[in-house]
Every structure is written in C-alpha cells, then in structure tokens.
Amino acid sequence: MADHKNITTQQLLDELVVARRGQGADDTPMPDLLLTMRSDDPGQAADLLGMLIADNHDAFLDLIVELGGYAATCVSLLAVLEISTVEDTLAELEQSMRQFFASKQPPRTRGAAGERR
C-alpha cells in the first residue's frame, strides 16, 4: 500500500493512526506492532506481543482481531484499486511468510540424539 501511494511505511502508518483517531477509535498497539514487524529486528514484534499478553490478555485478543480486519481491508483495497487480485495478494503473502520463517529456522544439525537410522 505504501509503495502504491509512493510514501514510506512510516507515513502510511501515521495516516492510519490519524484516520483511526478521526473515526473516534481508541489507541491500540496495532501501529506499533506493524512498525516492529517491518523493522530489521523481528524480535521486537515478539517482545511487544509478549508484553501485551503478560499485561493485558484482552487487549492482546483485541489486537489479533484488529490485525485480521486490517489485513482483510488491505487485501480488498489492492483488489479494488486493481493493483493485485485477492488471489495474487494472498499467494504473495504466503510466499513471504514461508521465506521469512525459513530464514529464521536454526540450521538442522545431525547429532547423536537427532540422527535417525
């Protein structure tokens, strides 16, 4: 979305926060989470979620629902603006997630305990 609007991710998130406040929405951790997910250190997102779970379980569950709605809206907007079909966007997201998690997996080693015969 930011690329399509020719702005930075930070600018897009700033717009999101302003629009949410303009609609009377309460501040939530969603913009912070989106920023940390885009950072070079994905551990920041895990730390933020961990703190939220520990401090306020209901707010954590609300965040998950809010993120799902946000993702669905973005996918729909990309289709409506004829930037990408829903199917193509979901396929791209799936591939991105697979690559992300594959890069975060520790290398497999063959030790006496882990070796199968």
Side-chain angles (χ1 to χ4, degrees):
M1 296 291 297
D3 289 342
H4 177 70
K5 292 183 73 172
N6 202 26
I7 60 176
T8 66
T9 303
Q10 178 64 53
Q11 289 169 319
L12 180 68
L13 291 173
D14 290 344
E15 287 180 9
L16 172 67
V17 169
V18 168
R20 289 168 43 81
R21 286 186 182 142
Q23 295 175 346
D26 295 330
D27 284 336
T28 69
M30 188 185 75
D32 292 335
L33 180 62
L34 292 175
L35 279 175
T36 59
M37 290 171 63
R38 300 273 308 170
S39 75
D40 291 334
D41 180 11
Q44 289 178 355
D47 292 343
L48 179 65
L49 290 172
M51 287 186 299
L52 190 58
I53 290 170
D55 292 342
N56 189 337
H57 189 70
D58 288 340
F60 172 76
L61 295 176
D62 290 343
L63 174 64
I64 298 304
V65 171
E66 184 177 7
L67 285 170
Y70 174 72
T73 298
C74 288
V75 170
S76 295
L77 283 173
L78 290 170
V80 167
L81 296 172
E82 297 181 352
I83 297 169
S84 177
T85 66
V86 170
E87 294 80 12
D88 288 347
T89 301
L90 294 178
E92 185 178 332
L93 286 171
E94 179 182 11
Q95 182 63 24
S96 295
M97 294 303 291
R98 288 182 188 277
Q99 289 173 349
F100 174 79
F101 286 112
S103 71
K104 301 302 174 193
Q105 296 297 317
R108 294 183 184 221
T109 57
R110 292 188 179 253
E115 198 169 292
R116 292 187 181 211
R117 295 179 191 222

